[in-house]
Amino acid sequence: AQKVTQAQTEISVVEKEDVTLDCVYETRDTTYYLFWYKQPPSGELVFLIRRNSFDEQNEISGRYSWNFQKSTSSFNFTITASQVVDSAVYFCALSGGPISSGSARQLTFGSGTQLTVLP
Amino acid sequence: ETGVTQTPRHLVMGMTNKKSLKCEQHLGHNAMYWYKQSAKKPLELMFVYSLEERVENNSVPSRFSPECPNSSHLFLHLHTLQPEDSALYLCASSQERGAGAFFGQGTRLTVV
């Protein structure tokens, strides 16, 4: 069974502070994919990043960066110099399984972290 | 035009009503999904449709009935719902294994 844990339910920061959102996952699959999504108040889930289990290189995209550590089964997300527009719920997700299985297409989500950036 | 479009955005229905949620994807993907998002709960996968198979979450009550007439359209037919079915229903699509899903804006359903 797969599981994604986002222990931080809510985080509040002041604008321009850096903030890290934690994600810990569990899977028995040797090949799997990790994702981060952003859900603003409008409701739509916005895809931010995908990382496969064979690529542990960290990634930076503008103010966003991701730290994938297989040894600790973590895939943390850092926002640098946060802005009010970053306020949203952020979800970490996992997909994996044999190619022949429908489970390979399914995403297991964490419970989300509500980030509030105060002006 | 967004990649995944859901209608309606908001729906209020009585417990004896029958309604349908519609989802359309313009991304050329070959898999579509229904997710349910309730307050304070993780997103729950309800149904998956792909060219190869339909995977159904066995815990979904029969009052929810999916329909996928083609790879671009997905429906969720609702009948005799309960107040606890009130939630945000999200449609998503994906092209390949591990590619990640792209989501619509959701339908906010309220059952009264």
Side-chain angles (χ1 to χ4, degrees), chain B residues 20-57:
Chain B
S20 295
L21 309 185
K22 179 183 176 182
C23 177
E24 184 174 0
Q25 59 101 356
H26 310 278
L27 301 168
H29 290 168
N30 58 21
M32 297 186 76
Y33 314 76
W34 280 115
Y35 283 86
K36 176 183 178 182
Q37 187 178 29
S38 305
K40 308 297 183 184
K41 286 186 178 181
L43 279 86
E44 304 170 55
L45 177 65
M46 299 177 73
F47 302 105
V48 180
Y49 272 90
S50 73
L51 290 178
E52 302 83 18
E53 63 185 322
R54 171 185 169 185
V55 177
E56 189 165 333
N57 185 332

Side-chain angles (χ1 to χ4, degrees), chain B residues 1-108:
Chain B
E1 186 176 271
T2 59
V4 180
T5 305
Q6 290 186 241
T7 55
R9 293 292 310 280
H10 301 273
L11 178 62
V12 179
M13 60 185 288
M15 289 190 285
T16 59
N17 293 158
K18 289 184 180 181
K19 296 286 184 183
S20 295
L21 309 185
K22 179 183 176 182
C23 177
E24 184 174 0
Q25 59 101 356
H26 310 278
L27 301 168
H29 290 168
N30 58 21
M32 297 186 76
Y33 314 76
W34 280 115
Y35 283 86
K36 176 183 178 182
Q37 187 178 29
S38 305
K40 308 297 183 184
K41 286 186 178 181
L43 279 86
E44 304 170 55
L45 177 65
M46 299 177 73
F47 302 105
V48 180
Y49 272 90
S50 73
L51 290 178
E52 302 83 18
E53 63 185 322
R54 171 185 169 185
V55 177
E56 189 165 333
N57 185 332
N58 292 330
S59 66
V60 179
S62 59
R63 57 185 183 269
F64 295 92
S65 174
E67 178 189 0
C68 189
N70 55 60
S71 60
S72 298
H73 294 86
L74 184 65
F75 296 89
L76 187 63
H77 304 299
L78 316 170
H79 63 97
T80 59
L81 294 191
Q82 304 299 310
E84 59 265 27
D85 296 322
S86 299
L88 180 67
Y89 289 85
L90 290 158
C91 174
S93 69
S94 69
Q95 176 55 34
E96 59 187 16
R97 173 177 180 260
F102 286 82
F103 286 79
Q105 291 183 298
T107 296
R108 176 69 64 185

Side-chain angles (χ1 to χ4, degrees), chain A residues 35 37 39 50 91 97 102 104-105, chain B residues 33 37 53 55 97-101:
Chain A
F35 306 84
Y37 286 87
Q39 188 177 38
R50 173 186 72 166
F91 291 94
R105 298 180 180 274
Chain B
Y33 314 76
Q37 187 178 29
E53 63 185 322
V55 177
R97 173 177 180 260

